[in-house]
């Protein structure tokens, strides 16, 4: 079933989750360049400033866990995941 305001083939996924993922990946990259970079590559010099918050990977795990829970809840409500997982493909 399609809606007039959404092109066919597109999901109802919200852009805000994609933005959160991008921010978490950027936080991981920033942590690696400011915290680990000077230790692993001393030729790069000192970092511009300390960044003590190592939260990027944790945020990515929380976002992934959220989507796992949403998928499980949806599968329980509909009686399966639509055949995309190994358990559903064994049933058919």
């Amino acid at each position: 079933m399609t809606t007039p305001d959404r092109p066919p083939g597109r999901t109802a996924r919200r852009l805000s989750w994609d933005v959160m993922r991008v921010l978490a990946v950027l936080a991981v990259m920033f942590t690696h360049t400011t915290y680990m970079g000077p230790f692993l590559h001393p030729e790069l010099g000192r970092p511009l400033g300390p960044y003590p918050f190592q939260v990027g990977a944790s945020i990515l795990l929380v976002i992934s866990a959220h989507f796992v829970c949403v998928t499980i809840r949806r599968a329980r409500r509909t009686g399966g995941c639509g055949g995309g997982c190994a358990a559903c493909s064994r049933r058919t």
Side-chain angles (χ1 to χ4, degrees):
M1 181 168 122
T2 60
T3 58
D5 58 337
R6 189 173 61 212
R10 301 271 322 247
T11 63
R13 190 164 104 187
R14 296 184 180 163
L15 180 64
S16 62
W17 286 112
D18 292 332
V19 171
M20 290 294 293
R21 287 178 180 160
V22 168
L23 290 175
V25 168
L26 289 175
V28 170
M29 291 172 55
F30 189 72
T31 300
H32 282 291
T33 57
T34 59
Y35 182 74
M36 296 299 296
F39 295 116
L40 298 175
H41 297 281
E43 69 272 8
L44 294 176
R46 294 181 42 156
L48 297 176
Y51 183 71
F53 308 110
Q54 298 180 22
V55 296
S58 300
I59 292 172
L60 284 173
L61 286 173
V62 169
I63 291 171
S64 297
H66 168 76
F67 283 110
V68 167
C69 293
V70 168
T71 302
I72 290 171
R73 183 177 50 179
R74 186 179 305 142
R76 285 184 181 169
R77 208 179 314 146
T78 61
C81 68
C85 71
C88 289
S89 62
R90 282 189 295 231
R91 280 191 236 159
T92 58

